[in-house]
PDB file of all heavy atoms in Angstrom:
ATOM      1  N   ALA A 122     -10.668  -1.679   2.913  1.00 98.00           N
ATOM      2  CA  ALA A 122      -9.245  -1.414   3.145  1.00 98.00           C
ATOM      3  C   ALA A 122      -8.753  -0.652   1.925  1.00 98.00           C
ATOM      4  O   ALA A 122      -8.728  -1.200   0.826  1.00 98.00           O
ATOM      5  CB  ALA A 122      -8.474  -2.715   3.314  1.00 98.00           C
ATOM      6  N   PHE A 123      -8.437   0.609   2.106  1.00 98.00           N
ATOM      7  CA  PHE A 123      -8.083   1.450   0.957  1.00 98.00           C
ATOM      8  C   PHE A 123      -6.682   1.146   0.469  1.00 98.00           C
ATOM      9  O   PHE A 123      -5.766   0.909   1.254  1.00 98.00           O
ATOM     10  CB  PHE A 123      -8.224   2.927   1.327  1.00 98.00           C
ATOM     11  CG  PHE A 123      -9.654   3.338   1.479  1.00 98.00           C
ATOM     12  CD1 PHE A 123     -10.263   3.310   2.718  1.00 98.00           C
ATOM     13  CD2 PHE A 123     -10.402   3.720   0.370  1.00 98.00           C
ATOM     14  CE1 PHE A 123     -11.595   3.665   2.861  1.00 98.00           C
ATOM     15  CE2 PHE A 123     -11.732   4.078   0.506  1.00 98.00           C
ATOM     16  CZ  PHE A 123     -12.333   4.049   1.757  1.00 98.00           C
ATOM     17  N   ASP A 124      -6.543   1.153  -0.855  1.00 96.00           N
ATOM     18  CA  ASP A 124      -5.268   0.898  -1.498  1.00 96.00           C
ATOM     19  C   ASP A 124      -4.867   2.169  -2.249  1.00 96.00           C
ATOM     20  O   ASP A 124      -5.524   2.554  -3.221  1.00 96.00           O
ATOM     21  CB  ASP A 124      -5.427  -0.292  -2.458  1.00 96.00           C
ATOM     22  CG  ASP A 124      -4.091  -0.787  -2.991  1.00 96.00           C
ATOM     23  OD1 ASP A 124      -3.043  -0.181  -2.657  1.00 96.00           O
ATOM     24  OD2 ASP A 124      -4.097  -1.766  -3.739  1.00 96.00           O
ATOM     25  N   ASP A 125      -3.808   2.826  -1.787  1.00 96.00           N
ATOM     26  CA  ASP A 125      -3.330   4.061  -2.428  1.00 96.00           C
ATOM     27  C   ASP A 125      -2.530   3.685  -3.672  1.00 96.00           C
ATOM     28  O   ASP A 125      -1.318   3.517  -3.606  1.00 96.00           O
ATOM     29  CB  ASP A 125      -2.455   4.856  -1.454  1.00 96.00           C
ATOM     30  CG  ASP A 125      -3.194   5.213  -0.182  1.00 96.00           C
ATOM     31  OD1 ASP A 125      -4.425   5.382  -0.231  1.00 96.00           O
ATOM     32  OD2 ASP A 125      -2.527   5.326   0.865  1.00 96.00           O
ATOM     33  N   VAL A 126      -3.211   3.569  -4.808  1.00 95.00           N
ATOM     34  CA  VAL A 126      -2.561   3.040  -6.006  1.00 95.00           C
ATOM     35  C   VAL A 126      -1.756   4.093  -6.757  1.00 95.00           C
ATOM     36  O   VAL A 126      -0.822   3.751  -7.491  1.00 95.00           O
ATOM     37  CB  VAL A 126      -3.565   2.336  -6.946  1.00 95.00           C
ATOM     38  CG1 VAL A 126      -4.166   1.114  -6.255  1.00 95.00           C
ATOM     39  CG2 VAL A 126      -4.645   3.281  -7.415  1.00 95.00           C
ATOM     40  N   THR A 127      -2.141   5.353  -6.653  1.00 95.00           N
ATOM     41  CA  THR A 127      -1.353   6.455  -7.220  1.00 95.00           C
ATOM     42  C   THR A 127      -1.374   7.588  -6.194  1.00 95.00           C
ATOM     43  O   THR A 127      -2.013   7.481  -5.147  1.00 95.00           O
ATOM     44  CB  THR A 127      -1.943   6.983  -8.554  1.00 95.00           C
ATOM     45  OG1 THR A 127      -3.147   7.690  -8.284  1.00 95.00           O
ATOM     46  CG2 THR A 127      -2.200   5.852  -9.549  1.00 95.00           C
ATOM     47  N   ALA A 128      -0.700   8.676  -6.542  1.00 93.00           N
ATOM     48  CA  ALA A 128      -0.684   9.829  -5.635  1.00 93.00           C
ATOM     49  C   ALA A 128      -2.066  10.454  -5.506  1.00 93.00           C
ATOM     50  O   ALA A 128      -2.358  11.123  -4.516  1.00 93.00           O
ATOM     51  CB  ALA A 128       0.324  10.867  -6.126  1.00 93.00           C
ATOM     52  N   GLU A 129      -2.940  10.215  -6.515  1.00 93.00           N
ATOM     53  CA  GLU A 129      -4.268  10.845  -6.493  1.00 93.00           C
ATOM     54  C   GLU A 129      -5.401   9.877  -6.187  1.00 93.00           C
ATOM     55  O   GLU A 129      -6.458  10.302  -5.735  1.00 93.00           O
ATOM     56  CB  GLU A 129      -4.576  11.496  -7.861  1.00 93.00           C
ATOM     57  CG  GLU A 129      -3.657  12.614  -8.268  1.00 93.00           C
ATOM     58  CD  GLU A 129      -2.358  12.109  -8.886  1.00 93.00           C
ATOM     59  OE1 GLU A 129      -2.359  10.995  -9.443  1.00 93.00           O
ATOM     60  OE2 GLU A 129      -1.332  12.806  -8.775  1.00 93.00           O
ATOM     61  N   ILE A 130      -5.203   8.599  -6.457  1.00 95.00           N
ATOM     62  CA  ILE A 130      -6.300   7.627  -6.386  1.00 95.00           C
ATOM     63  C   ILE A 130      -6.067   6.590  -5.292  1.00 95.00           C
ATOM     64  O   ILE A 130      -5.023   5.936  -5.246  1.00 95.00           O
ATOM     65  CB  ILE A 130      -6.481   6.890  -7.741  1.00 95.00           C
ATOM     66  CG1 ILE A 130      -6.835   7.867  -8.855  1.00 95.00           C
ATOM     67  CG2 ILE A 130      -7.528   5.781  -7.621  1.00 95.00           C
ATOM     68  CD1 ILE A 130      -8.231   8.465  -8.749  1.00 95.00           C
ATOM     69  N   SER A 131      -7.073   6.446  -4.443  1.00 97.00           N
ATOM     70  CA  SER A 131      -7.134   5.358  -3.457  1.00 97.00           C
ATOM     71  C   SER A 131      -8.360   4.524  -3.787  1.00 97.00           C
ATOM     72  O   SER A 131      -9.468   5.056  -3.844  1.00 97.00           O
ATOM     73  CB  SER A 131      -7.240   5.904  -2.036  1.00 97.00           C
ATOM     74  OG  SER A 131      -6.101   6.658  -1.705  1.00 97.00           O
ATOM     75  N   LEU A 132      -8.137   3.248  -4.024  1.00 97.00           N
ATOM     76  CA  LEU A 132      -9.253   2.381  -4.399  1.00 97.00           C
ATOM     77  C   LEU A 132      -9.819   1.673  -3.174  1.00 97.00           C
ATOM     78  O   LEU A 132      -9.058   1.131  -2.363  1.00 97.00           O
ATOM     79  CB  LEU A 132      -8.790   1.341  -5.422  1.00 97.00           C
ATOM     80  CG  LEU A 132      -8.326   1.894  -6.766  1.00 97.00           C
ATOM     81  CD1 LEU A 132      -7.823   0.753  -7.640  1.00 97.00           C
ATOM     82  CD2 LEU A 132      -9.444   2.653  -7.445  1.00 97.00           C
ATOM     83  N   PRO A 133     -11.155   1.662  -3.056  1.00 97.00           N
ATOM     84  CA  PRO A 133     -11.760   0.918  -1.947  1.00 97.00           C
ATOM     85  C   PRO A 133     -11.793  -0.580  -2.256  1.00 97.00           C
ATOM     86  O   PRO A 133     -12.560  -1.018  -3.101  1.00 97.00           O
ATOM     87  CB  PRO A 133     -13.169   1.513  -1.850  1.00 97.00           C
ATOM     88  CG  PRO A 133     -13.467   2.020  -3.216  1.00 97.00           C
ATOM     89  CD  PRO A 133     -12.146   2.368  -3.868  1.00 97.00           C
ATOM     90  N   ARG A 134     -10.916  -1.316  -1.637  1.00 97.00           N
ATOM     91  CA  ARG A 134     -10.921  -2.770  -1.754  1.00 97.00           C
ATOM     92  C   ARG A 134     -11.425  -3.313  -0.427  1.00 97.00           C
ATOM     93  O   ARG A 134     -11.655  -2.558   0.513  1.00 97.00           O
ATOM     94  CB  ARG A 134      -9.518  -3.279  -2.066  1.00 97.00           C
ATOM     95  CG  ARG A 134      -8.892  -2.699  -3.330  1.00 97.00           C
ATOM     96  CD  ARG A 134      -7.606  -3.415  -3.655  1.00 97.00           C
ATOM     97  NE  ARG A 134      -6.755  -2.730  -4.592  1.00 97.00           N
ATOM     98  CZ  ARG A 134      -6.864  -2.804  -5.927  1.00 97.00           C
ATOM     99  NH1 ARG A 134      -7.834  -3.527  -6.453  1.00 97.00           N
ATOM    100  NH2 ARG A 134      -6.030  -2.168  -6.719  1.00 97.00           N
ATOM    101  N   PHE A 135     -11.532  -4.629  -0.338  1.00 98.00           N
ATOM    102  CA  PHE A 135     -12.047  -5.222   0.893  1.00 98.00           C
ATOM    103  C   PHE A 135     -11.141  -6.363   1.329  1.00 98.00           C
ATOM    104  O   PHE A 135     -10.416  -6.935   0.529  1.00 98.00           O
ATOM    105  CB  PHE A 135     -13.492  -5.699   0.697  1.00 98.00           C
ATOM    106  CG  PHE A 135     -14.472  -4.553   0.656  1.00 98.00           C
ATOM    107  CD1 PHE A 135     -14.601  -3.788  -0.486  1.00 98.00           C
ATOM    108  CD2 PHE A 135     -15.211  -4.215   1.773  1.00 98.00           C
ATOM    109  CE1 PHE A 135     -15.475  -2.702  -0.533  1.00 98.00           C
ATOM    110  CE2 PHE A 135     -16.085  -3.130   1.749  1.00 98.00           C
ATOM    111  CZ  PHE A 135     -16.216  -2.383   0.590  1.00 98.00           C
ATOM    112  N   ARG A 136     -11.182  -6.662   2.605  1.00 98.00           N
ATOM    113  CA  ARG A 136     -10.456  -7.801   3.154  1.00 98.00           C
ATOM    114  C   ARG A 136     -11.417  -8.554   4.071  1.00 98.00           C
ATOM    115  O   ARG A 136     -12.420  -7.988   4.545  1.00 98.00           O
ATOM    116  CB  ARG A 136      -9.213  -7.347   3.937  1.00 98.00           C
ATOM    117  CG  ARG A 136      -9.569  -6.489   5.127  1.00 98.00           C
ATOM    118  CD  ARG A 136      -8.323  -5.964   5.832  1.00 98.00           C
ATOM    119  NE  ARG A 136      -8.713  -4.956   6.817  1.00 98.00           N
ATOM    120  CZ  ARG A 136      -7.988  -3.895   7.120  1.00 98.00           C
ATOM    121  NH1 ARG A 136      -6.824  -3.660   6.546  1.00 98.00           N
ATOM    122  NH2 ARG A 136      -8.430  -3.032   8.019  1.00 98.00           N
ATOM    123  N   ARG A 137     -11.076  -9.813   4.312  1.00 97.00           N
ATOM    124  CA  ARG A 137     -11.923 -10.634   5.173  1.00 97.00           C
ATOM    125  C   ARG A 137     -11.993 -10.018   6.569  1.00 97.00           C
ATOM    126  O   ARG A 137     -10.985  -9.576   7.100  1.00 97.00           O
ATOM    127  CB  ARG A 137     -11.357 -12.038   5.253  1.00 97.00           C
ATOM    128  CG  ARG A 137     -12.333 -13.040   5.842  1.00 97.00           C
ATOM    129  CD  ARG A 137     -11.712 -14.374   6.137  1.00 97.00           C
ATOM    130  NE  ARG A 137     -10.828 -14.902   5.110  1.00 97.00           N
ATOM    131  CZ  ARG A 137     -10.830 -16.168   4.716  1.00 97.00           C
ATOM    132  NH1 ARG A 137     -11.677 -17.031   5.230  1.00 97.00           N
ATOM    133  NH2 ARG A 137      -9.970 -16.581   3.816  1.00 97.00           N
TER     134      ARG A 137
END
Side-chain angles (χ1 to χ4, degrees):
F123 289 93
D124 190 357
D125 302 330
V126 296
T127 71
E129 297 82 26
I130 299 290
S131 297
L132 296 177
R134 303 188 196 275
F135 286 78
R136 62 184 170 214
R137 194 190 316 223

